[in-house]
Amino acid sequence: MQTENVFEVRGLTKTYRTGAGEVHALQGVDLDIRRGEILVLLGPSGSGKSTLLNILGGLDRASSGQALFDGQDLTRASDRELTRYRRRSVGFIFQFFNLSASLTAGENVELITEIAESPMSPAEALGLVGLKDRVDHFPAQLSGGQQQRVAVARAIAKRPKVLLCDEPTGSLDSKSGVQVLEAIVGVAGEAGATTMIVTHNAVVADIADRVVRFSDGAVAEVVANPARRAPSELKW
Ligand code: ADP
């Protein structure tokens, strides 16, 4: 079912039970995410941004509430359905790249495209992030920013509907971070992927269509930017 919103989140809660007691990571999140938009999620550490991203990516389960993806309630999906959803529809980018050290850039991308339905070739995906000439390089032969761009290529190669990025520039200097954001914005546009970027770097908010501010496990504010800025205009 194609609606204007890719995700419709209602009253979403997540409680972690730990030895020290309960942690209320999400305390009733309501949010609509529009098809094709770039959303930046800001907020203090521990306010629940990653938890929301993980639930929307099918990596974790909510405690209560609804999270509809194209009408399918992820909170009620079976493990099998969630696996299928992740495989088909979601591209992930994490802070620490998570590349296999023993595989080349091309092989790291290929690992994911092997299980996808109509993927790009590794060369095409790496071309989109400006690394066509690095297909045969191993992660150790690439800079941090280049490694993260391989991760961007890997995430987009299966043409996911949503691209979920958790602190994608968190371990990079400003220049590499800008290049990674350019790669994310570029591939998201190319593949028409709805993109969510969790960051604690407020400067990054300028590349968003809308900025979501988290506080204490809930959405405190959603602000639409009048215009998106190009990542190349950012500096931190
Ligand atoms: P943010 O991404 O905004 O920094 P998180 O979503 O990572 O916040 O965390 C929200 C809260 O949930 C924090 O208090 C964190 O310690 C807690 N939390 C996250 N994951 C777990 C977990 N697996 N077990 C217990 N508590 C967790």
Coordinates of all heavy atoms in Angstrom, one line a residue, residues 16 18 23 25 44-51, ligand 1:
Y16 N 13.2 -1.0 28.4 CA 14.2 -2.0 28.6 C 14.2 -2.4 30.1 O 14.2 -1.6 30.9 CB 15.6 -1.5 28.2 CG 15.8 -1.2 26.8 CD1 15.8 0.1 26.3 CD2 16.0 -2.2 25.9 CE1 16.0 0.4 25.0 CE2 16.2 -2.0 24.5 CZ 16.2 -0.7 24.1 OH 16.4 -0.4 22.8
T18 N 16.4 -4.0 32.9 CA 17.8 -4.4 33.2 C 17.9 -4.7 34.6 O 16.9 -4.6 35.4 CB 18.7 -3.1 32.9 OG1 18.4 -2.1 33.9 CG2 18.5 -2.5 31.6
V23 N 14.2 0.9 32.1 CA 14.6 2.1 31.4 C 13.5 2.4 30.4 O 13.2 1.6 29.5 CB 15.9 2.0 30.7 CG1 16.3 3.3 30.0 CG2 17.0 1.6 31.7
A25 N 12.9 4.0 27.4 CA 13.6 4.6 26.3 C 12.7 5.4 25.4 O 13.1 6.5 24.9 CB 14.4 3.6 25.5
P44 N 19.4 15.2 23.0 CA 20.5 14.8 23.9 C 20.7 13.2 23.9 O 19.8 12.5 23.5 CB 20.0 15.2 25.3 CG 18.7 15.8 25.2 CD 18.3 15.8 23.7
S45 N 21.9 12.8 24.3 CA 22.2 11.4 24.4 C 21.2 10.8 25.3 O 20.9 11.3 26.4 CB 23.6 11.3 24.9 OG 24.0 10.0 25.0
G46 N 20.7 9.6 24.9 CA 19.8 8.9 25.8 C 18.3 9.3 25.7 O 17.5 8.8 26.4
S47 N 18.0 10.2 24.7 CA 16.7 10.6 24.5 C 15.8 9.7 23.7 O 14.6 9.9 23.5 CB 16.6 12.0 24.0 OG 17.3 12.1 22.7
G48 N 16.4 8.6 23.1 CA 15.6 7.6 22.5 C 15.7 7.6 20.9 O 15.0 6.8 20.3
K49 N 16.6 8.3 20.4 CA 16.7 8.4 18.9 C 17.1 7.1 18.3 O 16.4 6.6 17.3 CB 17.7 9.5 18.5 CG 17.5 10.9 19.1 CD 18.6 11.9 18.7 CE 20.0 11.6 19.2 NZ 20.2 11.6 20.6
S50 N 18.1 6.5 18.8 CA 18.6 5.2 18.2 C 17.5 4.1 18.4 O 17.3 3.2 17.6 CB 19.9 4.7 18.9 OG 20.9 5.7 18.6
T51 N 16.9 4.2 19.6 CA 15.9 3.2 19.9 C 14.8 3.2 18.8 O 14.3 2.2 18.3 CB 15.3 3.4 21.3 OG1 16.3 3.3 22.2 CG2 14.2 2.3 21.6
Ligands
ADP1 P1 20.0 8.2 21.9 O1 20.1 7.5 20.6 O2 19.1 9.4 21.9 O3 21.3 8.5 22.5 P2 19.1 5.6 22.9 O4 17.9 5.3 22.1 O5 20.3 5.0 22.5 O6 19.2 7.2 23.0 O7 18.8 5.2 24.4 C1 17.6 5.6 25.1 C2 17.7 5.1 26.5 O8 17.5 3.7 26.5 C3 19.0 5.4 27.2 O9 18.7 5.6 28.6 C4 19.7 4.1 27.1 O10 20.6 3.9 28.1 C5 18.6 3.0 27.1 N1 19.0 1.8 26.3 C6 19.2 1.7 25.0 N2 19.4 0.5 24.6 C7 19.3 -0.3 25.8 C8 19.4 -1.7 26.0 N3 19.7 -2.6 25.1 N4 19.3 -2.1 27.3 C9 19.0 -1.2 28.3 N5 18.8 0.1 28.1 C10 19.0 0.6 26.9

